[in-house]
């Protein structure tokens, strides 16, 4: 059920786009990458770690989009998160390989 006003369209027909500022987008991307890094560190399986590593890569890829309002500071932060994730993932893979031998 939608409420109506005599001068307005019903709520379900109104354009209610959420306006995000550039700083909101930057925060969302960095926070998402940080969450994925935490999940990568806690993951128990190789497949799960690979999935979270890939998520971080996607956040980094999105940050490279021109015109998306991504700041240089955000890009640098994502590059650092990706670097850390790469080392974490590779170190874990090395330990698993050594344990298998």
């Amino acid at each position: 059920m939608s409420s109506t006003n005599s001068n307005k369209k019903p709520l379900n027909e109104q354009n209610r786009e959420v306006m995000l500022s550039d700083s909101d987008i930057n925060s969302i991307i960095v926070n998402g990458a940080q969450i994925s890094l935490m999940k990568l560190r806690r993951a128990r399986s190789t497949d799960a770690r690979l999935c979270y590593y890939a998520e971080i890569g996607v956040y980094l890829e999105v940050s490279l989009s021109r015109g998306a309002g991504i700041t240089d500071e955000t890009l640098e932060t994502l590059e650092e998160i990706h670097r850390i994730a790469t080392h974490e993932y590779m170190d874990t893979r090395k330990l698993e390989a050594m344990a298998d031998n």
Side-chain angles (χ1 to χ4, degrees):
M1 181 174 181
S2 62
S3 65
T4 58
N5 186 336
S6 60
N7 297 335
K8 294 186 178 184
K9 295 179 183 177
L11 287 178
N12 62 348
E13 293 179 12
Q14 291 179 18
N15 183 2
R16 296 184 284 165
E17 288 185 31
V18 177
M19 299 296 288
L20 293 176
S21 70
D22 290 347
S23 61
D24 292 338
I25 292 167
N26 287 287
S27 296
I28 290 167
I29 289 175
V30 169
N31 290 339
Q34 289 172 336
I35 290 168
S36 294
L37 178 60
M38 287 187 281
K39 288 181 177 182
L40 181 144
R41 288 177 171 161
R42 290 184 293 197
R44 300 275 184 222
S45 72
T46 302
D47 289 343
R49 280 189 287 276
L50 182 59
C51 179
Y52 296 126
Y53 180 72
E55 284 181 9
I56 293 167
V58 169
Y59 287 114
L60 180 60
E61 188 71 28
V62 167
S63 74
L64 299 174
S65 301
R66 298 290 174 220
I70 307 302
T71 64
D72 290 339
E73 181 181 347
T74 296
L75 180 57
E76 290 171 8
T77 302
L78 290 171
E79 287 172 342
E80 178 66 13
I81 292 170
H82 189 264
R83 186 190 62 75
I84 292 167
T86 300
H87 288 287
E88 298 258 346
Y89 181 76
M90 297 307 286
D91 289 346
T92 303
R93 295 289 294 155
K94 287 177 190 176
L95 291 173
E96 289 173 349
M98 289 174 27
D100 288 343
N101 291 331

